[in-house]
Amino acid sequence: MSIRTLLTALAAATTLLFPLILAEERQKCGEASYFPSEQTCYNDKTLCPKQYSLPSRPCAGSGGCYLPQEYTCGDDGILRDLPDATGPFTLAVWGERFAYRNQTIKACGGYLAIGANARQCHACTAAGGTNCGSYKNATVFLPDGKMNAAVPGHQYWFVDPSTGLLQYTEALPRNASIGWNTTVPSQEFAGLNVKVKQNGLFIWDKEGSSYTNHWWFACLVTLPGGAVSTARSWRIYAPIISELNGCELVRIVATAVDKSYGVYKYS
């Protein structure tokens, strides 16, 4: 992504936030004043900035603030990286737009999306003794690139290397070898270039990439035959191409859940 494109996206996010700031009243934090949309006050003396609407916290002894979705603060005041996720997790998007702030990513039709019209599509059949009632039917991911689905053959989440679109596969045949010349990736592409922190950030982290801010794009989708913005759902893209229209910068946070929150099959 070019510097011009990044600055344009940041300016757009600031423009969205500006009317909110105008409507806000400043609050006091000790002797300082602040806008609650921009900062959080701790112990009536310490202000920490919000990043993509995520509150950061003070780290005693370090003299700075940190995101708990990115680091832990030790008693010694030293910031340390969160450990990698080891079990099932859901994903939520955070950004300046209220319409999708802390919106859970849902799976439907091979796409992962957020927003009022984003759908959760799943299927289950009791054939063979499957207990369909044992699943809580949320969109749940696994750190190894699998979707949390019980269907034989597995389903996988992946970032399309040509567009950056975050998607998932149908259940793949056993021992399948399916490449990028078809509509789904082979198993070795699942979860490629993505790191997941335990109860922390879901990070696009391609080796050699210049993208170090751990952000993604949420891009507005219009359903066929609908006017612009009528769909009110956004698909998620990694920042690997230079121009994306109708998109805003966001961060994605993983939250650990029990494995029962998954589905039999995502449809």
PDB file of all heavy atoms in Angstrom, residues 14-47:
ATOM      1  N   THR A  14     -10.557   9.805  10.392  1.00  0.00           N
ATOM      2  CA  THR A  14     -10.625  11.020  11.199  1.00  0.00           C
ATOM      3  C   THR A  14     -11.871  11.817  10.871  1.00  0.00           C
ATOM      4  O   THR A  14     -12.522  12.382  11.754  1.00  0.00           O
ATOM      5  CB  THR A  14      -9.370  11.888  10.954  1.00  0.00           C
ATOM      6  OG1 THR A  14      -8.216  11.117  11.256  1.00  0.00           O
ATOM      7  CG2 THR A  14      -9.393  13.131  11.819  1.00  0.00           C
ATOM      8  N   THR A  15     -12.245  11.866   9.587  1.00  0.00           N
ATOM      9  CA  THR A  15     -13.447  12.584   9.182  1.00  0.00           C
ATOM     10  C   THR A  15     -14.688  11.988   9.818  1.00  0.00           C
ATOM     11  O   THR A  15     -15.591  12.694  10.257  1.00  0.00           O
ATOM     12  CB  THR A  15     -13.594  12.558   7.647  1.00  0.00           C
ATOM     13  OG1 THR A  15     -12.438  13.167   7.078  1.00  0.00           O
ATOM     14  CG2 THR A  15     -14.843  13.306   7.207  1.00  0.00           C
ATOM     15  N   LEU A  16     -14.725  10.655   9.903  1.00  0.00           N
ATOM     16  CA  LEU A  16     -15.858   9.998  10.536  1.00  0.00           C
ATOM     17  C   LEU A  16     -15.946  10.345  12.006  1.00  0.00           C
ATOM     18  O   LEU A  16     -17.024  10.473  12.573  1.00  0.00           O
ATOM     19  CB  LEU A  16     -15.738   8.478  10.376  1.00  0.00           C
ATOM     20  CG  LEU A  16     -16.005   7.916   8.987  1.00  0.00           C
ATOM     21  CD1 LEU A  16     -15.609   6.451   8.946  1.00  0.00           C
ATOM     22  CD2 LEU A  16     -17.480   8.078   8.638  1.00  0.00           C
ATOM     23  N   LEU A  17     -14.797  10.484  12.661  1.00  0.00           N
ATOM     24  CA  LEU A  17     -14.768  10.751  14.083  1.00  0.00           C
ATOM     25  C   LEU A  17     -15.040  12.207  14.411  1.00  0.00           C
ATOM     26  O   LEU A  17     -15.582  12.533  15.469  1.00  0.00           O
ATOM     27  CB  LEU A  17     -13.391  10.344  14.644  1.00  0.00           C
ATOM     28  CG  LEU A  17     -13.153  10.504  16.153  1.00  0.00           C
ATOM     29  CD1 LEU A  17     -14.167   9.642  16.920  1.00  0.00           C
ATOM     30  CD2 LEU A  17     -11.748  10.085  16.517  1.00  0.00           C
ATOM     31  N   PHE A  18     -14.744  13.144  13.485  1.00  0.00           N
ATOM     32  CA  PHE A  18     -14.805  14.564  13.763  1.00  0.00           C
ATOM     33  C   PHE A  18     -16.179  15.050  14.223  1.00  0.00           C
ATOM     34  O   PHE A  18     -16.281  15.769  15.222  1.00  0.00           O
ATOM     35  CB  PHE A  18     -14.340  15.356  12.532  1.00  0.00           C
ATOM     36  CG  PHE A  18     -14.184  16.832  12.792  1.00  0.00           C
ATOM     37  CD1 PHE A  18     -13.255  17.279  13.721  1.00  0.00           C
ATOM     38  CD2 PHE A  18     -14.958  17.767  12.132  1.00  0.00           C
ATOM     39  CE1 PHE A  18     -13.103  18.633  13.972  1.00  0.00           C
ATOM     40  CE2 PHE A  18     -14.825  19.110  12.376  1.00  0.00           C
ATOM     41  CZ  PHE A  18     -13.890  19.546  13.293  1.00  0.00           C
ATOM     42  N   PRO A  19     -17.295  14.647  13.552  1.00  0.00           N
ATOM     43  CA  PRO A  19     -18.599  15.087  14.036  1.00  0.00           C
ATOM     44  C   PRO A  19     -18.904  14.612  15.447  1.00  0.00           C
ATOM     45  O   PRO A  19     -19.557  15.297  16.220  1.00  0.00           O
ATOM     46  CB  PRO A  19     -19.581  14.471  13.019  1.00  0.00           C
ATOM     47  CG  PRO A  19     -18.751  14.216  11.806  1.00  0.00           C
ATOM     48  CD  PRO A  19     -17.401  13.873  12.328  1.00  0.00           C
ATOM     49  N   LEU A  20     -18.400  13.394  15.797  1.00  0.00           N
ATOM     50  CA  LEU A  20     -18.616  12.883  17.133  1.00  0.00           C
ATOM     51  C   LEU A  20     -17.920  13.760  18.159  1.00  0.00           C
ATOM     52  O   LEU A  20     -18.476  14.087  19.211  1.00  0.00           O
ATOM     53  CB  LEU A  20     -18.095  11.447  17.217  1.00  0.00           C
ATOM     54  CG  LEU A  20     -18.095  10.782  18.596  1.00  0.00           C
ATOM     55  CD1 LEU A  20     -19.527  10.649  19.110  1.00  0.00           C
ATOM     56  CD2 LEU A  20     -17.416   9.426  18.552  1.00  0.00           C
ATOM     57  N   ILE A  21     -16.676  14.179  17.847  1.00  0.00           N
ATOM     58  CA  ILE A  21     -15.931  15.029  18.764  1.00  0.00           C
ATOM     59  C   ILE A  21     -16.645  16.352  18.959  1.00  0.00           C
ATOM     60  O   ILE A  21     -16.718  16.885  20.068  1.00  0.00           O
ATOM     61  CB  ILE A  21     -14.492  15.243  18.246  1.00  0.00           C
ATOM     62  CG1 ILE A  21     -13.735  13.905  18.264  1.00  0.00           C
ATOM     63  CG2 ILE A  21     -13.759  16.284  19.073  1.00  0.00           C
ATOM     64  CD1 ILE A  21     -12.356  13.975  17.666  1.00  0.00           C
ATOM     65  N   LEU A  22     -17.197  16.919  17.870  1.00  0.00           N
ATOM     66  CA  LEU A  22     -17.899  18.192  17.981  1.00  0.00           C
ATOM     67  C   LEU A  22     -19.087  18.090  18.925  1.00  0.00           C
ATOM     68  O   LEU A  22     -19.437  19.046  19.611  1.00  0.00           O
ATOM     69  CB  LEU A  22     -18.370  18.647  16.594  1.00  0.00           C
ATOM     70  CG  LEU A  22     -17.288  19.129  15.632  1.00  0.00           C
ATOM     71  CD1 LEU A  22     -17.913  19.506  14.301  1.00  0.00           C
ATOM     72  CD2 LEU A  22     -16.524  20.317  16.205  1.00  0.00           C
ATOM     73  N   ALA A  23     -19.737  16.921  18.972  1.00  0.00           N
ATOM     74  CA  ALA A  23     -20.919  16.746  19.804  1.00  0.00           C
ATOM     75  C   ALA A  23     -20.556  16.401  21.243  1.00  0.00           C
ATOM     76  O   ALA A  23     -21.423  16.430  22.115  1.00  0.00           O
ATOM     77  CB  ALA A  23     -21.807  15.654  19.217  1.00  0.00           C
ATOM     78  N   GLU A  24     -19.326  16.071  21.503  1.00  0.00           N
ATOM     79  CA  GLU A  24     -18.896  15.660  22.838  1.00  0.00           C
ATOM     80  C   GLU A  24     -18.594  16.856  23.732  1.00  0.00           C
ATOM     81  O   GLU A  24     -18.241  17.937  23.264  1.00  0.00           O
ATOM     82  CB  GLU A  24     -17.617  14.824  22.745  1.00  0.00           C
ATOM     83  CG  GLU A  24     -17.835  13.384  22.412  1.00  0.00           C
ATOM     84  CD  GLU A  24     -16.528  12.620  22.533  1.00  0.00           C
ATOM     85  OE1 GLU A  24     -15.579  12.975  21.819  1.00  0.00           O
ATOM     86  OE2 GLU A  24     -16.471  11.683  23.334  1.00  0.00           O
ATOM     87  N   GLU A  25     -18.704  16.599  25.003  1.00  0.00           N
ATOM     88  CA  GLU A  25     -18.225  17.562  25.994  1.00  0.00           C
ATOM     89  C   GLU A  25     -16.928  17.035  26.588  1.00  0.00           C
ATOM     90  O   GLU A  25     -16.785  15.845  26.846  1.00  0.00           O
ATOM     91  CB  GLU A  25     -19.266  17.758  27.097  1.00  0.00           C
ATOM     92  CG  GLU A  25     -20.529  18.456  26.650  1.00  0.00           C
ATOM     93  CD  GLU A  25     -21.465  18.738  27.814  1.00  0.00           C
ATOM     94  OE1 GLU A  25     -21.082  18.405  28.966  1.00  0.00           O
ATOM     95  OE2 GLU A  25     -22.541  19.284  27.576  1.00  0.00           O
ATOM     96  N   ARG A  26     -16.005  17.930  26.773  1.00  0.00           N
ATOM     97  CA  ARG A  26     -14.756  17.539  27.419  1.00  0.00           C
ATOM     98  C   ARG A  26     -15.011  17.132  28.867  1.00  0.00           C
ATOM     99  O   ARG A  26     -15.887  17.672  29.528  1.00  0.00           O
ATOM    100  CB  ARG A  26     -13.751  18.686  27.382  1.00  0.00           C
ATOM    101  CG  ARG A  26     -13.141  18.941  26.006  1.00  0.00           C
ATOM    102  CD  ARG A  26     -12.115  20.052  26.080  1.00  0.00           C
ATOM    103  NE  ARG A  26     -11.426  20.247  24.824  1.00  0.00           N
ATOM    104  CZ  ARG A  26     -10.327  19.605  24.455  1.00  0.00           C
ATOM    105  NH1 ARG A  26      -9.780  18.717  25.282  1.00  0.00           N
ATOM    106  NH2 ARG A  26      -9.759  19.835  23.296  1.00  0.00           N
ATOM    107  N   GLN A  27     -14.236  16.174  29.342  1.00  0.00           N
ATOM    108  CA  GLN A  27     -14.290  15.774  30.738  1.00  0.00           C
ATOM    109  C   GLN A  27     -12.942  16.027  31.384  1.00  0.00           C
ATOM    110  O   GLN A  27     -11.935  16.213  30.695  1.00  0.00           O
ATOM    111  CB  GLN A  27     -14.694  14.305  30.847  1.00  0.00           C
ATOM    112  CG  GLN A  27     -16.097  14.027  30.324  1.00  0.00           C
ATOM    113  CD  GLN A  27     -16.536  12.593  30.562  1.00  0.00           C
ATOM    114  OE1 GLN A  27     -15.903  11.844  31.311  1.00  0.00           O
ATOM    115  NE2 GLN A  27     -17.639  12.204  29.930  1.00  0.00           N
ATOM    116  N   LYS A  28     -12.935  16.027  32.709  1.00  0.00           N
ATOM    117  CA  LYS A  28     -11.711  16.315  33.449  1.00  0.00           C
ATOM    118  C   LYS A  28     -11.043  15.025  33.899  1.00  0.00           C
ATOM    119  O   LYS A  28     -11.695  14.066  34.307  1.00  0.00           O
ATOM    120  CB  LYS A  28     -12.018  17.181  34.662  1.00  0.00           C
ATOM    121  CG  LYS A  28     -12.583  18.553  34.319  1.00  0.00           C
ATOM    122  CD  LYS A  28     -11.544  19.436  33.646  1.00  0.00           C
ATOM    123  CE  LYS A  28     -10.463  19.873  34.622  1.00  0.00           C
ATOM    124  NZ  LYS A  28      -9.496  20.816  33.968  1.00  0.00           N
ATOM    125  N   CYS A  29      -9.730  15.028  33.826  1.00  0.00           N
ATOM    126  CA  CYS A  29      -8.915  13.947  34.367  1.00  0.00           C
ATOM    127  C   CYS A  29      -7.792  14.623  35.142  1.00  0.00           C
ATOM    128  O   CYS A  29      -6.784  15.043  34.559  1.00  0.00           O
ATOM    129  CB  CYS A  29      -8.363  13.061  33.254  1.00  0.00           C
ATOM    130  SG  CYS A  29      -7.434  11.618  33.842  1.00  0.00           S
ATOM    131  N   GLY A  30      -7.981  14.777  36.441  1.00  0.00           N
ATOM    132  CA  GLY A  30      -7.051  15.593  37.208  1.00  0.00           C
ATOM    133  C   GLY A  30      -7.111  17.027  36.728  1.00  0.00           C
ATOM    134  O   GLY A  30      -8.188  17.626  36.645  1.00  0.00           O
ATOM    135  N   GLU A  31      -5.995  17.574  36.331  1.00  0.00           N
ATOM    136  CA  GLU A  31      -5.945  18.951  35.825  1.00  0.00           C
ATOM    137  C   GLU A  31      -6.141  19.015  34.317  1.00  0.00           C
ATOM    138  O   GLU A  31      -6.273  20.100  33.755  1.00  0.00           O
ATOM    139  CB  GLU A  31      -4.592  19.589  36.189  1.00  0.00           C
ATOM    140  CG  GLU A  31      -4.336  19.725  37.690  1.00  0.00           C
ATOM    141  CD  GLU A  31      -5.396  20.601  38.339  1.00  0.00           C
ATOM    142  OE1 GLU A  31      -5.744  21.661  37.763  1.00  0.00           O
ATOM    143  OE2 GLU A  31      -5.875  20.228  39.429  1.00  0.00           O
ATOM    144  N   ALA A  32      -6.163  17.883  33.669  1.00  0.00           N
ATOM    145  CA  ALA A  32      -6.280  17.850  32.210  1.00  0.00           C
ATOM    146  C   ALA A  32      -7.736  17.657  31.795  1.00  0.00           C
ATOM    147  O   ALA A  32      -8.580  17.203  32.565  1.00  0.00           O
ATOM    148  CB  ALA A  32      -5.428  16.723  31.638  1.00  0.00           C
ATOM    149  N   SER A  33      -8.041  18.020  30.556  1.00  0.00           N
ATOM    150  CA  SER A  33      -9.353  17.757  29.973  1.00  0.00           C
ATOM    151  C   SER A  33      -9.167  16.877  28.743  1.00  0.00           C
ATOM    152  O   SER A  33      -8.115  16.896  28.102  1.00  0.00           O
ATOM    153  CB  SER A  33     -10.062  19.057  29.601  1.00  0.00           C
ATOM    154  OG  SER A  33      -9.343  19.751  28.596  1.00  0.00           O
ATOM    155  N   TYR A  34     -10.225  16.102  28.403  1.00  0.00           N
ATOM    156  CA  TYR A  34     -10.087  15.154  27.303  1.00  0.00           C
ATOM    157  C   TYR A  34     -11.451  14.822  26.727  1.00  0.00           C
ATOM    158  O   TYR A  34     -12.492  15.045  27.353  1.00  0.00           O
ATOM    159  CB  TYR A  34      -9.409  13.872  27.796  1.00  0.00           C
ATOM    160  CG  TYR A  34     -10.268  13.029  28.708  1.00  0.00           C
ATOM    161  CD1 TYR A  34     -10.907  11.881  28.241  1.00  0.00           C
ATOM    162  CD2 TYR A  34     -10.451  13.380  30.047  1.00  0.00           C
ATOM    163  CE1 TYR A  34     -11.696  11.105  29.069  1.00  0.00           C
ATOM    164  CE2 TYR A  34     -11.248  12.611  30.888  1.00  0.00           C
ATOM    165  CZ  TYR A  34     -11.865  11.469  30.396  1.00  0.00           C
ATOM    166  OH  TYR A  34     -12.661  10.716  31.218  1.00  0.00           O
ATOM    167  N   PHE A  35     -11.456  14.281  25.496  1.00  0.00           N
ATOM    168  CA  PHE A  35     -12.657  13.755  24.881  1.00  0.00           C
ATOM    169  C   PHE A  35     -12.704  12.245  25.149  1.00  0.00           C
ATOM    170  O   PHE A  35     -11.758  11.527  24.805  1.00  0.00           O
ATOM    171  CB  PHE A  35     -12.655  14.002  23.370  1.00  0.00           C
ATOM    172  CG  PHE A  35     -12.865  15.433  22.979  1.00  0.00           C
ATOM    173  CD1 PHE A  35     -11.876  16.134  22.297  1.00  0.00           C
ATOM    174  CD2 PHE A  35     -14.057  16.078  23.279  1.00  0.00           C
ATOM    175  CE1 PHE A  35     -12.072  17.450  21.920  1.00  0.00           C
ATOM    176  CE2 PHE A  35     -14.266  17.389  22.903  1.00  0.00           C
ATOM    177  CZ  PHE A  35     -13.269  18.092  22.228  1.00  0.00           C
ATOM    178  N   PRO A  36     -13.802  11.725  25.724  1.00  0.00           N
ATOM    179  CA  PRO A  36     -13.894  10.285  26.003  1.00  0.00           C
ATOM    180  C   PRO A  36     -13.782   9.406  24.756  1.00  0.00           C
ATOM    181  O   PRO A  36     -13.421   8.242  24.871  1.00  0.00           O
ATOM    182  CB  PRO A  36     -15.284  10.152  26.652  1.00  0.00           C
ATOM    183  CG  PRO A  36     -15.562  11.493  27.236  1.00  0.00           C
ATOM    184  CD  PRO A  36     -14.936  12.470  26.285  1.00  0.00           C
ATOM    185  N   SER A  37     -14.121   9.942  23.586  1.00  0.00           N
ATOM    186  CA  SER A  37     -13.980   9.150  22.363  1.00  0.00           C
ATOM    187  C   SER A  37     -12.522   8.947  21.978  1.00  0.00           C
ATOM    188  O   SER A  37     -12.199   8.039  21.204  1.00  0.00           O
ATOM    189  CB  SER A  37     -14.714   9.828  21.203  1.00  0.00           C
ATOM    190  OG  SER A  37     -14.131  11.083  20.918  1.00  0.00           O
ATOM    191  N   GLU A  38     -11.631   9.774  22.522  1.00  0.00           N
ATOM    192  CA  GLU A  38     -10.225   9.714  22.144  1.00  0.00           C
ATOM    193  C   GLU A  38      -9.323   9.122  23.210  1.00  0.00           C
ATOM    194  O   GLU A  38      -8.283   8.547  22.890  1.00  0.00           O
ATOM    195  CB  GLU A  38      -9.714  11.125  21.824  1.00  0.00           C
ATOM    196  CG  GLU A  38     -10.355  11.760  20.611  1.00  0.00           C
ATOM    197  CD  GLU A  38      -9.776  13.136  20.351  1.00  0.00           C
ATOM    198  OE1 GLU A  38      -9.640  13.919  21.306  1.00  0.00           O
ATOM    199  OE2 GLU A  38      -9.447  13.408  19.191  1.00  0.00           O
ATOM    200  N   GLN A  39      -9.716   9.277  24.487  1.00  0.00           N
ATOM    201  CA  GLN A  39      -8.851   8.856  25.580  1.00  0.00           C
ATOM    202  C   GLN A  39      -9.666   8.248  26.717  1.00  0.00           C
ATOM    203  O   GLN A  39     -10.882   8.435  26.801  1.00  0.00           O
ATOM    204  CB  GLN A  39      -8.041  10.051  26.111  1.00  0.00           C
ATOM    205  CG  GLN A  39      -7.064  10.646  25.106  1.00  0.00           C
ATOM    206  CD  GLN A  39      -6.408  11.903  25.639  1.00  0.00           C
ATOM    207  OE1 GLN A  39      -7.085  12.886  25.937  1.00  0.00           O
ATOM    208  NE2 GLN A  39      -5.092  11.879  25.770  1.00  0.00           N
ATOM    209  N   THR A  40      -8.971   7.538  27.619  1.00  0.00           N
ATOM    210  CA  THR A  40      -9.566   6.985  28.837  1.00  0.00           C
ATOM    211  C   THR A  40      -8.790   7.510  30.028  1.00  0.00           C
ATOM    212  O   THR A  40      -7.552   7.564  29.993  1.00  0.00           O
ATOM    213  CB  THR A  40      -9.524   5.446  28.822  1.00  0.00           C
ATOM    214  OG1 THR A  40     -10.175   4.963  27.642  1.00  0.00           O
ATOM    215  CG2 THR A  40     -10.225   4.876  30.051  1.00  0.00           C
ATOM    216  N   CYS A  41      -9.522   7.896  31.082  1.00  0.00           N
ATOM    217  CA  CYS A  41      -8.895   8.434  32.287  1.00  0.00           C
ATOM    218  C   CYS A  41      -8.796   7.350  33.350  1.00  0.00           C
ATOM    219  O   CYS A  41      -9.774   6.640  33.626  1.00  0.00           O
ATOM    220  CB  CYS A  41      -9.717   9.612  32.808  1.00  0.00           C
ATOM    221  SG  CYS A  41      -9.070  10.343  34.347  1.00  0.00           S
ATOM    222  N   TYR A  42      -7.625   7.208  33.963  1.00  0.00           N
ATOM    223  CA  TYR A  42      -7.406   6.230  35.018  1.00  0.00           C
ATOM    224  C   TYR A  42      -6.990   6.938  36.304  1.00  0.00           C
ATOM    225  O   TYR A  42      -6.082   7.788  36.300  1.00  0.00           O
ATOM    226  CB  TYR A  42      -6.321   5.223  34.616  1.00  0.00           C
ATOM    227  CG  TYR A  42      -6.722   4.359  33.436  1.00  0.00           C
ATOM    228  CD1 TYR A  42      -6.419   4.755  32.128  1.00  0.00           C
ATOM    229  CD2 TYR A  42      -7.402   3.163  33.622  1.00  0.00           C
ATOM    230  CE1 TYR A  42      -6.780   3.960  31.046  1.00  0.00           C
ATOM    231  CE2 TYR A  42      -7.775   2.367  32.535  1.00  0.00           C
ATOM    232  CZ  TYR A  42      -7.461   2.777  31.256  1.00  0.00           C
ATOM    233  OH  TYR A  42      -7.833   1.997  30.181  1.00  0.00           O
ATOM    234  N   ASN A  43      -7.679   6.593  37.394  1.00  0.00           N
ATOM    235  CA  ASN A  43      -7.365   7.121  38.730  1.00  0.00           C
ATOM    236  C   ASN A  43      -7.362   8.654  38.772  1.00  0.00           C
ATOM    237  O   ASN A  43      -6.651   9.260  39.580  1.00  0.00           O
ATOM    238  CB  ASN A  43      -6.013   6.592  39.219  1.00  0.00           C
ATOM    239  CG  ASN A  43      -5.996   5.079  39.306  1.00  0.00           C
ATOM    240  OD1 ASN A  43      -6.965   4.466  39.740  1.00  0.00           O
ATOM    241  ND2 ASN A  43      -4.890   4.482  38.876  1.00  0.00           N
ATOM    242  N   ASP A  44      -8.158   9.245  37.882  1.00  0.00           N
ATOM    243  CA  ASP A  44      -8.289  10.701  37.832  1.00  0.00           C
ATOM    244  C   ASP A  44      -6.941  11.412  37.661  1.00  0.00           C
ATOM    245  O   ASP A  44      -6.769  12.552  38.088  1.00  0.00           O
ATOM    246  CB  ASP A  44      -8.994  11.226  39.091  1.00  0.00           C
ATOM    247  CG  ASP A  44      -9.526  12.651  38.905  1.00  0.00           C
ATOM    248  OD1 ASP A  44      -9.931  12.977  37.763  1.00  0.00           O
ATOM    249  OD2 ASP A  44      -9.531  13.428  39.876  1.00  0.00           O
ATOM    250  N   LYS A  45      -5.994  10.725  37.002  1.00  0.00           N
ATOM    251  CA  LYS A  45      -4.700  11.389  36.815  1.00  0.00           C
ATOM    252  C   LYS A  45      -3.976  10.981  35.536  1.00  0.00           C
ATOM    253  O   LYS A  45      -3.132  11.729  35.035  1.00  0.00           O
ATOM    254  CB  LYS A  45      -3.788  11.134  38.014  1.00  0.00           C
ATOM    255  CG  LYS A  45      -3.413   9.677  38.232  1.00  0.00           C
ATOM    256  CD  LYS A  45      -2.481   9.529  39.432  1.00  0.00           C
ATOM    257  CE  LYS A  45      -2.088   8.068  39.635  1.00  0.00           C
ATOM    258  NZ  LYS A  45      -1.173   7.927  40.805  1.00  0.00           N
ATOM    259  N   THR A  46      -4.285   9.809  34.986  1.00  0.00           N
ATOM    260  CA  THR A  46      -3.543   9.300  33.833  1.00  0.00           C
ATOM    261  C   THR A  46      -4.465   9.143  32.637  1.00  0.00           C
ATOM    262  O   THR A  46      -5.507   8.475  32.729  1.00  0.00           O
ATOM    263  CB  THR A  46      -2.892   7.941  34.150  1.00  0.00           C
ATOM    264  OG1 THR A  46      -2.043   8.077  35.290  1.00  0.00           O
ATOM    265  CG2 THR A  46      -2.079   7.444  32.962  1.00  0.00           C
ATOM    266  N   LEU A  47      -4.085   9.749  31.516  1.00  0.00           N
ATOM    267  CA  LEU A  47      -4.835   9.626  30.272  1.00  0.00           C
ATOM    268  C   LEU A  47      -4.108   8.678  29.321  1.00  0.00           C
ATOM    269  O   LEU A  47      -2.897   8.788  29.124  1.00  0.00           O
ATOM    270  CB  LEU A  47      -4.991  10.995  29.599  1.00  0.00           C
ATOM    271  CG  LEU A  47      -6.021  11.952  30.206  1.00  0.00           C
ATOM    272  CD1 LEU A  47      -5.909  13.328  29.568  1.00  0.00           C
ATOM    273  CD2 LEU A  47      -7.434  11.398  30.037  1.00  0.00           C
TER     274      LEU A  47
END
